[in-house]
Amino acid sequence: MMKLIVAIVQDEDSKKLNETFTKNGIRSTRLASTGGFMRAGNSTFLVGIENNKVDTVIDLIEEVCKTRVQSIMAPPTYDFNFEMNLNYPVDVEVGGATVFVLDVDQFRKI
């Protein structure tokens, strides 16, 4: 039986992950996507893989896609109780990966 791994990673990590997959003989399809929280560019990788190789693929993703802290400007507040509306930097955690592992009922390579 096979699995479909869907991995959503930050663009900053996608090139290195693609190279790591290639180096390790893992075939993948990379799709451009956009995240909702920071509207930042992401890449979504689709990997069709045998059950016994799922852990290997997830280990490679964890090795490449590390979380890190990034400063962004806080969105403006519309609370009119404040005398001034100032934007200020806020540290947020970015990176890492969101990974889904799905059962594949049927696979054909045509």
Side-chain angles (χ1 to χ4, degrees), residues 28-103:
S28 66
T29 299
R30 180 172 57 173
L31 307 170
S33 53
T34 304
F37 173 59
M38 292 177 27
R39 292 183 175 81
N42 293 325
S43 291
T44 300
F45 286 85
L46 304 176
V47 180
I49 199 81
E50 296 84 11
N51 281 355
N52 62 340
K53 295 182 181 177
V54 169
D55 290 337
T56 300
V57 173
I58 291 174
D59 288 345
L60 291 172
I61 294 168
E62 286 180 342
E63 180 183 310
V64 172
C65 302
K66 303 289 185 191
T67 58
R68 55 199 162 272
V69 175
Q70 178 178 329
S71 292
I72 64 167
M73 293 305 289
T77 178
Y78 296 103
D79 183 354
F80 296 107
N81 293 327
F82 291 108
E83 291 182 23
M84 295 172 42
N85 183 8
L86 299 175
N87 287 348
Y88 52 93
V90 175
D91 290 338
V92 294
E93 189 174 276
V94 297
T98 301
V99 179
F100 301 92
V101 179
L102 309 167
D103 289 328

Side-chain angles (χ1 to χ4, degrees), residues 10-21:
Q10 193 176 39
D11 271 346
E12 188 174 328
D13 297 324
S14 67
K15 183 178 180 185
K16 185 174 181 185
L17 182 59
N18 195 42
E19 291 169 355
T20 300
F21 280 163

